[in-house]
Amino acid sequence: MNNPFEDETHPPQPRKPGLFAHLRAAFLTGLVVVAPIGLTAYVIWTVIGWVDGWVLTFVPSSYHPDALINRFLGYTEPGEQIHINLRGAGVVIFLIFTVVVGWIAKGLVGRSLIRWAENLVDRTPVVRSIYNGVKQIAETVFSQSGTSFDKACLIEYPRRGIWAIGFVSTKAKGEVARRTPEDEKYLSVFVPTTPNPTSGFLLFFPESDVILLDMSVEDAAKLVISAGLVYPNAKDPTQPPAEKSLEKAE
């Protein structure tokens, strides 16, 4: 006969996960699948709508997609017309217009017109500064021959002992190269912010203080956007390659 005052000697059995735990795991798994798709679709849809709203303001209302469709269907009275939000029409118009302008600009007549328009802009004080700045940025970003952010790097910033991810753009040129010490070359490094890598700081570092990384610019951007959660590793994006190599060595 067991003594009722004696302690239980049997270890407690582990509790099986209930229905709520299974639903929570399924929800998190589905969120991992749905969130990237939904956010990507939302960004693309928003950008297309912004381009449509900007481009269609320059197109006469009689040539808008819904007006052309109503005219094709024979709906001329205001009460008969149907309103259609044809998403992406402005993007198509913008692409066609840009291709036509680029094709004309490559010809002799187009180059002469552009040269004449730029000379006219150079005589306008405020417009000259805006146009030249935007033009220089566009030529740098969209130039097919130039290099832009072709290397990711590590630099000590904002002080010694603290490291930050940066992107090497070019070597220091012009007055910056002349004003810096001549005994060493300097690199232009863009240090992005997290989680928005489009904003950051332009810094000039001695070449000896810049550690070039093997990871690509895209992988470094993922690392910055994810705040250090996603490392450039195809098998396990949450595991840094250096830690795996240390585990194998042990």
Side-chain angles (χ1 to χ4, degrees):
M1 182 176 179
N2 294 332
N3 189 347
F5 298 100
E6 292 180 355
D7 296 334
E8 288 285 342
T9 57
H10 301 288
Q13 298 294 329
R15 296 178 59 184
K16 295 182 178 180
L19 178 61
F20 179 77
H22 287 292
L23 291 177
R24 178 176 176 273
F27 173 77
L28 293 177
T29 303
L31 191 63
V32 171
V33 176
V34 172
I37 299 175
L39 289 175
T40 303
Y42 172 76
V43 171
I44 295 175
W45 186 261
T46 304
V47 171
I48 291 175
W50 178 79
V51 175
D52 286 350
W54 179 71
V55 172
L56 292 178
T57 54
F58 299 97
V59 179
S61 59
S62 59
Y63 291 97
H64 283 194
D66 54 349
L68 295 176
I69 293 175
N70 285 312
R71 195 180 307 160
F72 176 77
L73 296 176
Y75 298 153
T76 57
E77 298 296 330
E80 298 177 346
Q81 294 181 356
I82 58 176
H83 298 282
I84 302 175
N85 184 14
L86 193 59
R87 203 83 167 188
V91 176
V92 175
I93 295 173
F94 174 75
L95 292 176
I96 295 174
F97 176 77
T98 305
V99 171
V100 171
V101 170
W103 177 71
I104 295 175
K106 286 186 175 181
L108 180 61
V109 178
R111 289 199 299 267
S112 301
L113 289 175
I114 292 175
R115 195 178 302 111
W116 174 81
E118 288 182 345
N119 291 333
L120 183 64
V121 169
D122 286 337
R123 298 190 182 97
T124 310
V126 179
V127 179
R128 174 180 56 197
S129 302
I130 299 174
Y131 175 79
N132 290 334
V134 174
K135 180 184 178 183
Q136 188 173 4
I137 294 174
E139 288 177 349
T140 303
V141 173
F142 298 107
S143 176
Q144 298 179 356
S145 58
T147 58
S148 178
F149 296 162
D150 57 344
K151 281 290 184 181
C153 67
L154 276 177
I155 46 97
E156 287 187 287
Y157 179 82
R159 65 170 177 82
R160 293 285 181 180
I162 297 180
W163 296 87
I165 292 287
F167 301 106
V168 179
S169 53
T170 58
K171 293 183 178 179
K173 301 176 181 179
E175 186 178 0
V176 175
R178 294 194 303 269
R179 297 279 184 172
T180 51
E182 298 180 357
D183 56 345
E184 191 168 6
K185 296 181 180 179
Y186 278 72
L187 298 178
S188 305
V189 179
F190 175 74
V191 181
T193 57
T194 301
N196 180 18
T198 59
S199 64
F201 307 93
L202 174 62
L203 306 173
F204 296 94
F205 281 89
E207 194 172 7
S208 59
D209 292 345
V210 177
I211 300 177
L212 299 180
L213 299 176
D214 294 330
M215 70 175 68
S216 63
V217 175
E218 291 79 10
D219 290 336
K222 293 177 185 177
L223 184 61
V224 172
I225 294 172
S226 65
L229 297 177
V230 178
Y231 276 79
N233 191 339
K235 294 183 179 179
D236 186 2
T238 63
Q239 184 73 15
E243 292 186 6
K244 282 200 166 185
S245 60
L246 289 176
E247 291 176 0
K248 291 182 180 179
E250 293 177 355

